[in-house]
Amino acid sequence: MKSPGYAVVIVTYNRKKLLCECVHRVIYQTVPADKIIIVNNASTDGTKKYLEELSARETVCEIIECPRNIGGAGGFAKGISRAFKYNVDCVLMIDDDAMLAPDYMEKLLKAKAEKPAYSALAGSVKVNGNIDTGHRKKLSKAGMFFKDCAASLYQNAYFECDIASFCGMLLDKKLMMQIGLPHEEYFIWHDDAEYSLRIRKHSRFLVIPDAVLDHMTEGNKEKTYPRRYNWRDYYNIRNRLLLVEEHGGIQDKILNHLYMFLHIVCRNWLFGFIRAGKYDWEYEKHLVRKAYIDARSMQSGRKRTVWKNSGICIRKESHS
């Protein structure tokens, strides 16, 4: 019996060396991909030239060049949209620092054939040889908080989770066309969690621990305490607010706002008041205010993109 055809979407930005290895691992899967779509987020490190040479050499590879960096969320949205044009059954998403084991897709497709009720699958993610449990999560009953799946679950042949990162996520194309594209405006952070919540309305994730990829992440090198914020924290805060507003109930929204007020707003005001680290914490306070203001503005804008057509509520960003 022929395995279902699949496409791979890889998003890259200024990591040419890792991308070369990532693409090599994808091309030489024991069950080859029908199409490999690589989205280049305006890299400036020679990636474009490498991809031009790659596409000339490997006809299975298709390149999307972005004129500017649109983040992981925008890159996956573009890549998935292109994958919809091909006659494949499912689509795998990975970043340029994800190194698939040779049989990664073979094991996922085997599990897919054995467990056809699942439209979403994922393997295990390792960093330096150890399972990184942060990529597969459970959803709490209230507040829309996520908890890492226990490391002990990876001893099983399969287990279920609610939230998966784009690092090795495999989805049925029919499901993706039904739920639409990732929200491009997220740029980074929580884009995969929001997409998982849409997936969860149709299927939980089946995790296959024996399907392994190595994540060549550098991790968080910042060791100072208390931790100072950077530009990434803006997206973390803003997108968390957007996610709960879109998918949560009243109780979830109240609990989320309370949690963020205590752990983010009060944190920065307290550290500023006591001048923790001999620093005024004004940047952090400004970043949080901007994240809240922008989230509120984006929520209003999104509501304006929803209209009724024959009694059915349709979102502009959906693809069907």
Side-chain angles (χ1 to χ4, degrees):
M1 181 179 176
K2 183 182 180 297
S3 297
Y6 71 96
V8 182
V9 174
I10 306 170
V11 178
T12 188
Y13 176 68
N14 278 352
R15 289 195 287 207
K16 177 185 171 184
K17 185 176 179 181
L18 287 173
L19 176 65
C20 293
E21 177 66 16
C22 173
V23 171
H24 176 83
R25 298 285 194 101
V26 172
I27 289 174
Y28 290 101
Q29 286 292 292
T30 54
V31 179
D34 292 62
K35 182 62 65 173
I36 302 169
I37 300 164
I38 305 169
V39 183
N40 181 19
N41 259 332
S43 297
T44 58
D45 64 345
T47 292
K48 182 175 181 180
K49 183 179 179 182
Y50 159 71
L51 291 176
E52 288 172 352
E53 294 171 352
L54 176 72
S55 60
R57 184 175 69 249
E58 301 285 353
T59 56
V60 72
C61 294
E62 180 173 347
I63 315 303
I64 299 176
E65 289 287 346
C66 300
R68 60 183 177 84
N69 184 0
I70 55 176
F76 281 115
K78 280 193 177 297
I80 292 167
S81 179
R82 184 67 59 87
F84 285 168
K85 299 179 180 179
Y86 294 104
N87 183 26
V88 294
D89 298 295
C90 45
V91 181
L92 175 74
M93 280 82 74
I94 53 172
D95 286 314
D96 52 12
D97 57 359
M99 308 304 168
L100 303 180
D103 59 357
Y104 184 87
M105 281 304 302
E106 179 183 341
K107 288 182 175 177
L108 257 61
L109 293 172
K110 181 175 182 291
K112 181 176 171 56
E114 293 173 354
K115 305 279 186 178
Y118 293 91
S119 301
L121 298 92
S124 57
V125 179
K126 288 189 175 182
V127 176
N128 297 323
N130 299 312
I131 296 289
D132 184 351
T133 58
H135 286 271
R136 315 297 179 226
K137 297 176 181 287
K138 302 275 189 179
L139 179 65
S140 70
K141 292 183 179 179
M144 303 206 77
F145 300 112
F146 312 135
K147 181 180 180 181
D148 293 357
C149 292
S152 59
L153 290 173
Y154 288 83
Q155 302 301 316
N156 300 324
Y158 310 106
F159 67 88
E160 290 184 343
C161 74
D162 301 302
I163 308 294
S165 71
F166 283 140
C167 198
M169 178 191 292
L170 178 71
L171 301 178
D172 282 359
K173 178 183 165 186
K174 288 181 180 178
L175 170 63
M176 299 171 84
M177 296 187 73
Q178 187 175 2
I179 66 174
L181 304 173
H183 291 328
E184 293 185 41
E185 66 270 24
Y186 273 45
F187 192 75
I188 61 165
W189 220 309
H190 296 305
D191 49 334
D192 42 17
E194 188 283 323
Y195 205 50
S196 294
L197 290 172
R198 277 188 268 163
I199 292 164
R200 190 172 178 271
K201 296 174 183 178
H202 305 272
S203 172
R204 296 192 76 195
F205 281 94
L206 183 69
V207 181
I208 298 88
D210 281 348
V212 177
L213 69 81
D214 292 314
H215 194 207
M216 309 302 287
T217 180
E218 295 179 353
N220 184 9
K221 293 184 177 180
E222 190 172 356
K223 301 297 183 182
T224 58
Y225 181 82
R227 189 181 72 83
R228 305 264 275 272
Y229 284 1
N230 59 42
W231 63 272
R232 291 174 177 270
D233 290 281
Y234 163 81
Y235 291 102
N236 181 22
I237 297 163
R238 189 199 70 176
N239 294 349
R240 170 73 190 171
L241 291 165
L242 290 171
L243 178 150
V244 177
E245 181 67 25
E246 180 172 357
H247 294 283
I250 296 297
Q251 184 184 29
D252 299 318
K253 294 171 187 177
I254 292 172
L255 290 172
N256 182 58
H257 278 292
L258 179 61
Y259 175 87
M260 296 184 77
F261 178 75
L262 293 174
H263 290 266
I264 297 174
V265 178
C266 289
R267 168 200 190 268
N268 294 326
W269 279 100
L270 174 61
F271 288 161
F273 179 74
I274 66 175
R275 293 189 63 81
K278 298 181 180 180
Y279 171 65
D280 62 12
W281 296 88
E282 286 302 316
Y283 172 78
E284 280 74 9
K285 288 185 275 187
H286 169 75
L287 183 146
V288 172
R289 283 195 299 270
K290 179 169 175 55
Y292 268 82
I293 290 168
D294 290 353
R296 193 176 303 118
S297 174
M298 291 171 70
Q299 287 162 11
S300 299
R302 184 171 290 168
K303 286 173 184 175
R304 287 194 292 269
T305 69
V306 179
W307 69 92
K308 289 190 176 181
N309 181 7
S310 301
I312 302 173
C313 190
I314 305 173
R315 287 196 182 280
K316 245 184 185 178
E317 65 263 28
S318 68
H319 184 114
S320 58

